[in-house]
């Protein structure tokens, strides 16, 4: 439910941006760079919110941090809803403030939820659990776009409620989660690292049952004993030579590479891409909804595969597959813009181009949506896991701020050549992941941390050269274990 907030915002803004009353209320034109700035400034709020929430999550607990972030999200959303409602002066400023405040809340949620989820699940199920949560993210995306499309068709693009209703409906998610979050267990790892053994036992019993709780408690106490001797600060993580700089760079590049796949642009400007392929505005909007629905169902393969074949395999094959799709889109986009000159029927290029976009979207969901958030929660020790996740959200926020800000400018200037840019960036993302990102699936937190110890001893970051390339794939069953 919490992660669905992120998806809802993407689907919400994609059609809000094209509402004539919205543009008039904000005092901007559809071609104004401010359209992209309003969308992208939210990500700056996310970056700040991630840092604040990570501190709160470590100091007061994962659940209190999530609750506060949900409340902040609610406030930001309400500010967006009332921007220009009965007044015009200051509407744009209030919309900016609302976007930033909502970003603070959603960024905090995106920092704490993956950590909380990983700490509640075993190594064999962490990937599936987070992938299922991100399928809820796509549900939020679908819900927002469907509501947007419905009210736009019913009320028209000149009606203010056609953009205000989709914004305020988002309140369902934070209010619903705030109403029952008290029933969820606190992270037993957090309890242990705050010397609350009895509370940790209660959480473990709630999660695993009485039979496994004692064994899990002993494991957590042992891990806490080993990790508590080491104090980790942000300087140890972000400065070259710091004891966790390598882990941080894997985290940073995971989010940078996810942004380089180009899907942030596809999710926000999907309808414009279908228009570029030759469809009229109405058809493009319905195709965008169809793409999101396909995206939701294809995401099922992510949580089926992520703990079976691993994070690395899905990321690498996903990036190269998306690159091929974007090359096809470059060709089809070029043909679509020159159909009349070449005497080619529009549908002969728009249909295969659309199929390529549907496939690229599915590949992103399977290969990249959850993985970039999951890996940081698996490679840092408990003493710095929240900070690592916060860094992940900061980089995600800054990267997506850049992508969503630059994308409309690139569309206006490059047209279909933008797809070739994304093809190249996907090739880079696939190569970097293959070379430097270790496979974290099927391993305990401590096993994953061992990779970085071995890497330091081997004096290399290349996965193939650390411990005989053992971390290129999921751990294999040892002989004699059946």
């Amino acid at each position: 439910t919490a992660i669905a907030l992120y998806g809802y915002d993407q689907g919400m803004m994609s059609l809000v941006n094209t509402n004539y009353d919205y543009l008039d209320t904000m005092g901007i034109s559809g071609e104004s760079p401010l359209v992209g700035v309003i969308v992208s400034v939210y990500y700056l709020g996310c970056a700040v919110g991630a840092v604040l929430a990570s501190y709160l999550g470590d100091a007061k607990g994962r659940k209190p941090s999530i609750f506060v972030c949900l409340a902040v999200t609610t406030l930001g959303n309400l500010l967006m809803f009332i921007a220009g409602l009965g007044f015009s002066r200051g509407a744009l400023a209030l919309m900016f403030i609302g976007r930033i405040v909502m970003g603070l809340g959603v960024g905090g949620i995106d920092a704490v939820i993956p950590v909380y989820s990983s700490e509640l699940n075993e190594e064999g199920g962490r990937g599936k659990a987070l992938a299922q949560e991100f399928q809820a993210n796509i549900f939020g995306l679908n819900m927002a776009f469907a509501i947007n499309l419905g009210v736009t068709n019913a009320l028209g693009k000149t009606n203010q409620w056609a953009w205000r209703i989709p914004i305020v409906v988002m309140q369902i998610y934070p209010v619903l989660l705030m109403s029952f979050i008290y029933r969820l267990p606190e992270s037993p790892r957090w309890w242990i690292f705050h010397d609350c053994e009895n509370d940790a036992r209660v959480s473990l019993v709630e999660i695993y049952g009485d039979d496994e709780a004692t064994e899990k408690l002993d494991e957590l106490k042992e891990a806490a004993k080993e990790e508590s001797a080491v104090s980790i600060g942000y300087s140890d993580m972000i400065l070259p030579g710091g004891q966790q700089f390598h882990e941080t760079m894997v985290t940073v590049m995971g989010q940078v590479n996810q942004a380089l796949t180009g899907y942030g642009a596809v999710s926000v400007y999907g309808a414009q891409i279908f228009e570029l392929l030759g469809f009229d505005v109405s058809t493009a909007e319905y195709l965008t909804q169809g793409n999101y629905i396909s995206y939701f169902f294809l995401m099922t393969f992510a949580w089926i595969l992520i703990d079976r074949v691993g994070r690395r395999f899905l990321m690498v094959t996903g990036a190269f597959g998306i690159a091929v799709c974007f090359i096809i889109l470059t060709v089809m986009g070029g043909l679509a813009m020159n159909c009349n000159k070449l005497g080619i029927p529009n549908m002969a290029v728009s249909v295969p181009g659309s199929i390529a976009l549907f496939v690229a979207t599915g590949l992103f969901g399977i290969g990249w949506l959850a993985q970039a958030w999951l890996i940081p929660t698996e490679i840092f020790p408990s003493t710095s896991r929240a900070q690592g996740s916060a860094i992940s959200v900061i980089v995600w926020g800054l990267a997506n701020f850049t992508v969503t800000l630059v994308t409309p400018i690139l569309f206006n200037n490059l047209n279909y050549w933008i797809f070739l840019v994304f093809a190249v960036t996907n090739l880079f993302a696939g190569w970097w992941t293959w070379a430097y990102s270790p496979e974290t699936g099927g391993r305990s937190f401590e096993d994953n941390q061992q990779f970085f110890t071995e890497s330091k001893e081997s004096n290399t970051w290349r996965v193939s050269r650390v411990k005989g390339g053992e971390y290129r794939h999921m751990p294999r069953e040892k002989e004699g274990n059946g």
Side-chain angles (χ1 to χ4, degrees):
T1 303
I3 295 295
L5 284 166
Y6 163 38
Y8 190 97
D9 182 77
Q10 290 178 311
M12 176 182 74
M13 291 306 295
S14 60
L15 282 183
V16 167
N17 288 336
T18 63
N19 184 282
Y20 302 136
D21 181 82
Y22 166 77
L23 296 170
D24 185 60
T25 301
M26 296 302 121
I28 56 180
S29 68
E31 292 74 37
S32 171
L34 284 174
V35 174
V37 175
I38 292 171
V39 173
S40 58
V41 74
Y42 156 85
Y43 293 106
L44 295 182
C46 288
V48 177
V51 177
L52 298 177
S54 71
Y55 277 119
L56 183 61
D58 277 345
K60 300 297 182 181
R62 312 309 192 204
K63 284 173 58 179
S65 179
I66 293 170
F67 186 89
V68 170
C69 290
L70 290 168
V72 172
T73 299
T74 298
L75 175 62
N77 180 263
L78 288 175
L79 292 175
M80 290 172 60
F81 173 70
I82 65 172
L85 184 61
F87 62 93
S88 57
R89 189 174 181 180
L92 181 61
L94 188 57
M95 178 59 72
F96 270 118
I97 293 171
R99 293 290 292 165
I100 293 171
V101 172
M102 194 171 81
L104 289 171
V106 175
I109 290 167
D110 287 344
V112 179
I113 287 290
V115 173
Y116 180 62
S117 175
S118 288
E119 291 179 341
L120 294 186
N121 288 279
E122 298 182 88
E123 54 264 24
R126 292 190 304 256
K128 179 181 179 179
L130 196 62
Q132 288 176 329
E133 289 176 32
F134 272 94
Q135 192 167 33
N137 164 280
I138 306 170
F139 177 82
L141 175 70
N142 271 283
M143 178 179 173
F145 198 87
I147 292 171
N148 238 323
L149 195 56
V151 295
T152 297
N153 287 336
L155 303 175
K157 286 183 177 287
T158 58
N159 190 301
Q160 67 167 326
W161 298 106
W163 66 270
R164 293 190 191 277
I165 289 174
I167 288 176
V168 77
V169 168
M170 185 182 184
Q171 292 286 339
I172 292 172
Y173 289 107
V175 171
L176 180 64
L177 191 53
M178 282 191 291
S179 68
F180 71 78
I181 192 171
Y182 71 93
R183 297 184 179 184
L184 301 176
E186 179 56 88
S187 164
R189 279 183 176 264
W190 186 86
W191 283 128
I192 285 292
F193 277 83
H194 286 77
D195 298 319
C196 301
E197 185 175 324
N198 290 334
D199 292 308
R201 183 186 294 276
V202 171
S203 288
L204 288 167
V205 169
E206 191 171 346
I207 297 166
Y208 299 107
D210 288 312
D211 293 339
E212 291 187 60
T214 301
E215 181 184 348
K216 295 291 182 184
L217 183 64
D218 290 339
E219 291 175 3
L220 288 180
K221 288 164 64 177
E222 184 63 30
K225 187 184 300 182
E226 294 177 3
E227 294 177 16
S228 59
V230 182
S231 178
I232 303 295
Y234 275 106
S235 60
D236 299 306
M237 303 169 75
I238 62 177
L239 296 179
Q243 56 185 308
Q244 290 188 355
F245 180 68
H246 185 181
E247 292 94 319
T248 302
M249 287 309 299
V250 170
T251 296
V252 167
M253 290 306 298
Q255 288 291 4
V256 167
N257 288 332
Q258 188 197 61
L260 290 178
T261 63
Y263 194 73
V266 172
S267 60
V268 177
Y269 301 101
Q272 289 91 322
I273 295 177
F274 284 111
E275 288 179 48
L276 189 149
L277 288 171
F279 293 102
D280 61 70
V281 174
S282 179
T283 304
E285 289 173 350
Y286 281 109
L287 282 170
T288 302
Q289 181 74 76
N291 190 25
Y292 293 159
I293 292 172
S294 169
Y295 184 22
F296 175 79
F297 285 108
L298 288 174
M299 187 64 189
T300 303
F301 288 102
W303 56 262
I304 290 174
L305 295 173
I306 194 168
D307 287 323
R308 288 179 169 85
V309 301
R311 293 83 163 113
R312 256 172 66 92
F313 177 82
L314 293 178
M315 293 168 79
V316 172
T317 56
F320 288 135
I322 297 169
V324 172
C325 290
F326 275 125
I327 290 172
I328 294 171
L329 278 165
T330 304
V331 175
M332 295 304 162
L335 292 174
M337 294 190 69
N338 295 280
C339 276
N340 293 332
K341 291 181 183 178
L342 300 172
I344 302 173
N346 286 337
M347 296 299 286
V349 294
S350 56
V351 170
S354 299
I355 292 172
L357 185 57
F358 271 62
V359 173
T361 303
L363 287 173
F364 172 81
I366 296 168
W368 282 89
L369 182 59
Q371 285 85 334
W373 301 94
L374 176 62
I375 291 174
T377 70
E378 297 181 311
I379 61 177
F380 288 101
S382 296
T383 49
S384 58
R385 189 168 295 129
Q387 294 99 308
S389 187
I391 290 172
S392 176
V393 178
I394 291 168
V395 176
W396 166 80
L398 295 175
N400 280 277
F401 168 80
T402 304
V403 169
T404 53
L405 183 64
V406 170
T407 295
I409 300 171
L410 292 178
F411 267 128
N412 291 335
N413 291 277
L414 297 180
N415 292 316
Y416 58 88
W417 290 111
I418 189 175
F419 301 133
L420 187 60
V421 173
F422 286 137
V424 173
T425 56
N426 270 280
L427 290 174
F428 172 80
W431 168 79
W432 196 96
T433 303
W434 173 81
Y436 298 110
S437 185
E439 177 53 64
T440 58
R443 293 182 168 94
S444 67
F445 296 128
E446 293 72 28
D447 287 339
N448 285 324
Q449 290 153 34
Q450 186 62 29
F451 166 81
F452 297 96
T453 301
E454 297 277 352
S455 173
K456 190 175 296 184
E457 292 174 358
S458 302
N459 198 31
T460 181
W461 286 13
R462 293 292 292 259
V463 177
S464 60
R465 297 175 185 171
V466 176
K467 206 173 181 182
E470 183 178 308
Y471 286 82
R472 288 179 299 177
H473 44 71
M474 297 271 285
R476 291 169 178 158
E477 295 252 351
K478 295 179 181 179
E479 289 183 13
N481 286 352

